[in-house]
Amino acid sequence: MSRAVVFAYHNVGYRCLNVLLAHGVDVALVVTHRDNPNENIWFDSVQKLAELHGIPVITPDNPNVPEVVGQIAALQPDFFFSFYYREMLKAPLLAIPKQGALNMHGSLLPKYRGRVPVNWAIIRGETETGATLHYMTEKPDNGDIVAQQAVPILPDDTAHEVFQKVTVAAEIALNDVLPALLTGKAQAVKQDLSKGAYFGGRRPEDGVIDWSQSAQQIHNLVRAVAPPYPGATTKLLGKPMRILQTLVTKCTAAGEEQPAFYVKEGKAYAICGSGVLRVVRFELDGVEMSAVEFAAEHGNARFEFNC
């Protein structure tokens, strides 16, 4: 029986830990994170799953400190698995497992290395993404690949919907390759890093809408940061506004028209730098309202965004 130490968090961590247990892997320790009270915790708990199966759990702020490295080394694991764990593992840790350390990343590497790959893929208009299991090095997401599983990104998919697909893709990729991996027969393929790029994390302020962009670009941003993420933001009538759901229309605006919000025949629209979006769901000053409710209070005039 192969022994593993698992570094895991979030839904991908939860599902992939289940895969290891289903294949009879001896999970000697789970390293995870304490939930941040300031974060919207909408995902499953790796810690609760580990405790259900009687697996010891630790939640160090830094897994690379000597006492944690020593604790893990004493377990003499064959493998490390990292499933959406948020801290980088440094050389002393990576040297411990006899048969290597592997990470599950939420993109089709080498594309979208780095942080929040699902959100970036949607923002950039990709029609496909997936999950990749690869060997870990000290540099993020650049080790040899042992398994990949692709999933489609449909035109109106939100990041949450795509992330659910990627979670299943991660489960499939790991489940398919794990028997070969445990017997030392898995084939690894070197990444061609020139075919992808590294992307950093995103902050709530990165969700501010630039209305000079096209309807398609703004639609991509809206669905990439839609709840449970912070949402795409703007200002209207001097008040903060969150755009929660949009659809690209075939409508066009006159060339000189400024970006603006209006209601017509009970539906809300936004004029963009080019093209027009239908605004399906929105909040104004923290309150979600319908297009009809907005028109009843403010009328059917065109209101320019306070950019």
Side-chain angles (χ1 to χ4, degrees):
M1 183 184 295
S2 295
R3 172 173 287 191
V5 171
V6 176
F7 300 77
Y9 196 59
H10 221 287
N11 283 351
V12 170
Y14 185 97
R15 294 306 309 166
C16 288
L17 176 56
N18 262 324
V19 172
L20 296 183
L21 296 174
H23 283 263
V25 174
D26 174 19
V27 179
L29 179 70
V30 166
V31 186
T32 189
H33 303 289
R34 291 184 292 272
D35 291 336
N36 182 343
N38 298 318
E39 183 176 352
N40 180 14
I41 306 299
W42 52 269
F43 40 84
D44 292 325
S45 171
V46 168
Q47 181 164 351
K48 288 181 180 178
L49 178 62
E51 290 171 349
L52 176 66
H53 290 276
I55 301 169
V57 176
I58 60 172
T59 57
D61 292 332
N62 180 1
N64 298 290
V65 296
E67 55 267 32
V68 175
V69 174
Q71 178 182 358
I72 292 172
L75 297 172
Q76 298 184 320
D78 300 298
F79 292 96
F80 280 176
F81 290 99
S82 178
F83 304 129
Y84 273 60
Y85 188 71
R86 294 175 174 178
E87 298 293 330
M88 291 292 296
L89 306 187
K90 296 183 178 179
L93 267 179
L94 294 177
I96 291 172
K98 305 182 189 82
Q99 296 186 55
L102 295 106
N103 175 62
M104 185 68 74
H105 185 72
S107 77
L108 297 176
L109 292 176
K111 298 180 75 173
Y112 298 99
R113 303 191 300 277
R115 301 290 186 180
V116 293
V118 166
N119 309 74
W120 278 117
I122 295 172
I123 287 169
R124 293 172 69 88
E126 299 286 355
T127 57
E128 182 183 63
T129 189
T132 302
L133 185 67
H134 66 94
Y135 283 102
M136 299 174 71
T137 71
E138 282 197 273
K139 292 184 178 180
D141 307 324
N142 78 336
D144 294 352
I145 293 170
V146 295
Q148 282 190 323
Q149 177 66 46
V151 295
I153 301 176
L154 303 182
D156 298 321
D157 278 346
T158 65
H160 184 230
E161 290 166 335
V162 176
F163 186 79
Q164 289 175 313
K165 298 181 191 182
V166 169
T167 300
V168 175
E171 183 175 355
I172 292 170
L174 180 63
N175 187 69
D176 286 352
V177 79
L178 194 55
L181 197 61
L182 297 178
T183 57
K185 297 177 181 177
Q187 299 296 310
V189 178
K190 188 175 180 62
Q191 290 192 55
D192 181 353
L193 300 181
S194 69
K195 293 183 178 179
Y198 184 87
F199 289 80
R202 293 184 60 82
R203 302 161 297 175
E205 52 264 39
D206 295 324
V208 176
I209 298 170
D210 176 1
W211 290 104
S212 69
Q213 291 186 323
S214 70
Q216 184 63 61
Q217 288 174 303
I218 294 169
H219 177 62
N220 289 345
L221 174 65
V222 169
R223 62 201 185 97
V225 298
Y229 300 100
T233 60
T234 188
K235 285 189 176 180
L236 188 74
L237 300 170
K239 300 175 182 179
M241 185 180 200
R242 277 208 312 166
I243 307 294
L244 304 175
Q245 184 182 3
T246 55
L247 293 173
V248 177
T249 74
K250 295 181 179 179
C251 302
T252 57
E256 300 301 318
E257 282 197 89
Q258 294 297 310
F261 179 89
Y262 65 96
V263 174
K264 181 179 180 181
E265 297 176 354
K267 295 178 181 178
Y269 298 90
I271 299 170
C272 307
S274 62
V276 177
L277 283 176
R278 180 181 165 197
V279 181
V280 180
R281 291 181 58 214
F282 63 93
E283 291 176 354
L284 186 62
D285 205 16
V287 178
E288 185 167 355
M289 61 174 58
S290 69
V292 171
E293 290 168 336
F294 179 91
E297 186 172 344
H298 301 287
N300 292 310
R302 297 194 174 188
F303 299 93
E304 292 187 10
F305 294 104
N306 310 124
C307 299

